[in-house]
Amino acid sequence: MPPFNRQSKLWPLVAFVMTVMAACLLIALIAVSSEETAAPVRTCGVGKVAKNHKSGGVTEDIEPAHPGPFHDLTSRELKSLRLFLESDPEINATKLSDQSLGSKALVESYVSAIDLYVPPKIDVLEHLDLDQPQPPREALVILFRGDKSPPVVEERVCGPLPDVVSCRMLKSDKRRNPVEFSVRPFNMLEFGALIEYLLHGAVEDKLGFLLRDSFGISYANCQNKPCLDFFTSPVATSLLGDIRQRRLWVWAHYPVEFYLLHPVDFALLAVLDEADPATFRVDKVWYAGKLYGSMGELVAGYNSSSIPKIKREMPKGGEGVFSSIHRRGENPSASPQRPPTLVEPDGKRYSLSSRQVHYLGWQFNLRMSSLSGPQLFDVRFRGDRIAYEISLQEIVVTYSAYNPMHQVTDVADSAGYLGMMARSLVPGADCPESSTFISSTVAGQLVKGPVRFPNAWCLFEHTSGLPLRRHMGYRFVHGSFYGGMLDSHLTLRTILVVGNYDYVIDFSFHQNGVMDVRVSSTGFLMVSPFNPVESPYGYRIQEHILGNLHHHLFHFKVDMDVGGSTKNRYSTLDIHKDKALLTTVRSAFDSFFNYLSMMMMMIIIVIIISQLELGGMSKQLLQENKNNERTMAWARHQLVVTTHKEDERTSSSPYAMFDSENPVVDFSQFSDDNDSLVDKDLVFWLSMGLYHVPRTEDLPLTATTGTKLSFSLAPFNYFPECPSMASSDATRMDLINSKEPKEGVMVERYYGKQKDTCALPVPTYESQVKENPDAALESSKFLGLL
Ligand SMILES: [Cu+2]
């Protein structure tokens, strides 16, 4: 067969193979080009961002050039104020670059804290409601005047911001100014001096050998190992009988995570009456369950072996110790999976701009008071103002114990400047990853210039998984139908870390016009060294420690302006077996709402009506007007109603930790004038509390389950029907044909039939932390502000 013929017979085969290859190439080409042109899957929560939402749902960190009346002080304002304070000859604040811990620390003029001084309400309302110019912005400055004789604490109002021209002394009928130096808030300057002069000085000199003998460790000379840690319990001036005295119990703890769960049975009572740290001295000493009049007395007894002694070894730290919070134990999940997460399939339904939030009919302004923590202003629903101000006032914990340190421990946490304790909320742990994180900017003694804490707040929309409302009509005779919706709502959260405890504070806004304020407690317990004599005061929860019974108390201010009106009435609805009696409360004395006795009463704020629901009842057990109780007079009642007064801005002060001999703010005076409450601008002062009996399950951390306290503001005959009826979140079901039920059911989703998908956002927190570790944990910079 000639080659030609063979080739001619091969041609059809070659042609076929070529055709197949060409077809394959074409298909591949089409596939590649369609991959290039197909729309990528949208990331959940991104893409359809609500109007004015400038942050893209990650962080809100823009400081406006012209901040509104409630906006926190901006970096620019803080910087220019600082310069004024340093250059003003009367104030002469120590320059930031000159600041040091130790010897000079307390004898100069120090800026302890700076906060926005919110303008008077009347001026703000004229601005908001009557289009008047915005009142000038001013700052409240707390100055430690160690340079004065006698040293004092001054509160000054400085303004106008940003170009300050004067700092006047704050004048108020309800609080004195200046304030005794002895009742000043805690501060790192003092702690630095305490360490230098007492712990590393006199205590190490006299008791170093005893501490090493007894506990294997002392406060100093620890040979490159950690030394004893310390914690302080203030002794209130009412217990001392002299407001000029300042005493701290300084307890010793092993330096093991977490140190407060490792107390050793040793403490000293430090005398810090004078500003000059060279005068600091030790008064009494507690050792092995006994109190000694001086360090010398203890040493003499120890050397002669005439007193009980202790012999303990330093506990091994690391992941295995009971007090660490590394994961441990058998994982109930054989193969770990991620927990459920939140997605916002169509983007965010809220917006945030210049600290003002809008969400499905709600509107409010948020701010973080450096001194007292979270505050909301001008809270509105459907355009109507409900409250002018909702703010945390104070957090108190009172302890009981046999040992003198815990016995006197009645902690008023605003001495730690509550707002400065809100930092570093963690996405996916403290807040949903979909949250918008909001920064706070604060200034203090030990930092050069304003400090920005990036994640001081988080804002997120979520569902509790609970229906807000629903009904399923099953029966033909009454009609078969269904209507309901999940309770999707917006929550603004901050977490205040006050020493050992972490307080989670949530403000939630529901679609039916109800707003909740909730406090949950978590964190570490503060415990005592175990001793059988402590048994009436708590339970032994580990070999060496006893968890002391204590009482958490929280105080809130709610300045209600229902329907935008500053003329409100307060009524109670007394519920009997067969009737409910509405009573208008006419005076402040009559407004005292006490624990337990009136459980069946509702509180109603009349004119255009709103309802206040109280939760978290617990009676303050301290004896009235005795010892520390005087400084927390707000805790005597669950509710007190007064009329709005600029002189009664806060129910507590940063001095409350020490000032019970003569409280700087005495809340009991707020109702002394027994104001008429009829058609007046009413302020509701609410206290909530929780007894905490520590148990082994509080180790290593107290959980938030069972520790939540809350109050709600709800419309009451305000709207003709439930406002959530307008929500497109609802689902309705009907029979397709009510006469022929077998034809089936029709499901209506009011938000439409959307079938698109979105992809989970890629977590970015780890890379943010890599970029700026100090945003999460202090790692390269000291950000201590106190
Ligand atoms: Cu507790």
Side-chain angles (χ1 to χ4, degrees), residues 625-640:
N625 233 357
K626 208 156 178 239
N627 299 337
N628 291 339
E629 197 274 344
R630 297 174 60 195
T631 202
M632 53 187 92
W634 49 264
R636 290 173 193 167
H637 311 285
Q638 193 172 17
L639 171 68
V640 172

Side-chain angles (χ1 to χ4, degrees), residues 99-117:
Q99 293 187 2
S100 61
L101 294 172
S103 55
K104 284 201 324 175
L106 292 168
V107 293
E108 299 185 350
S109 174
Y110 270 86
V111 179
S112 177
I114 303 176
D115 198 9
L116 173 73
Y117 189 71

Side-chain angles (χ1 to χ4, degrees), residues 397 399 501 503 521 524-525 550-552 690-692 694 702:
V397 192
Y399 286 86
Y501 268 113
Y503 296 110
S521 309
F524 286 101
L525 292 172
H550 57 277
H551 192 189
H552 295 268
L690 173 82
Y691 303 123
H692 190 172
T702 291

Side-chain angles (χ1 to χ4, degrees), residues 528-547:
S528 290
F530 175 73
N531 184 332
V533 293
E534 298 277 2
S535 56
Y537 306 101
Y539 291 95
R540 185 181 201 170
I541 54 171
Q542 249 284 334
E543 184 185 359
H544 293 293
I545 57 175
L546 177 126

Side-chain angles (χ1 to χ4, degrees), residues 268-345:
L268 50 95
L269 183 61
V271 178
L272 314 167
D273 296 344
E274 310 289 332
D276 182 357
T279 64
F280 288 4
R281 63 183 174 84
V282 172
D283 185 5
K284 296 186 170 40
V285 187
W286 174 268
Y287 171 75
K290 286 192 71 174
L291 191 64
Y292 297 89
S294 67
M295 290 195 285
E297 187 186 324
L298 171 60
V299 170
Y302 191 85
N303 285 339
S304 64
S305 294
S306 58
I307 61 167
K309 293 185 179 180
I310 297 180
K311 197 80 181 166
R312 272 191 71 186
E313 283 182 14
M314 174 143 153
K316 284 198 178 76
E319 296 188 17
V321 68
F322 76 92
S323 53
S324 95
I325 50 176
H326 294 88
R327 203 200 76 75
R328 54 179 166 264
E330 192 181 336
N331 192 339
S333 167
S335 157
Q337 295 165 287
R338 287 175 294 175
T341 189
L342 281 173
V343 294
E344 296 159 315

Side-chain angles (χ1 to χ4, degrees), residues 113-149:
I114 303 176
D115 198 9
L116 173 73
Y117 189 71
V118 179
K121 180 177 177 181
I122 189 167
D123 297 342
V124 176
L125 291 185
E126 282 183 2
H127 168 60
L128 295 177
D129 300 343
L130 303 174
D131 237 8
Q132 292 299 302
Q134 181 180 327
R137 279 170 62 79
E138 295 181 305
L140 176 67
V141 181
I142 297 185
L143 291 160
F144 287 1
R145 300 302 304 264
D147 59 327
K148 287 203 164 180
S149 183

Side-chain angles (χ1 to χ4, degrees), residues 547-564:
N548 298 77
L549 169 66
H550 57 277
H551 192 189
H552 295 268
L553 286 154
F554 305 88
H555 201 222
F556 282 87
K557 174 184 182 182
V558 183
D559 182 340
M560 299 285 291
D561 283 3
V562 182

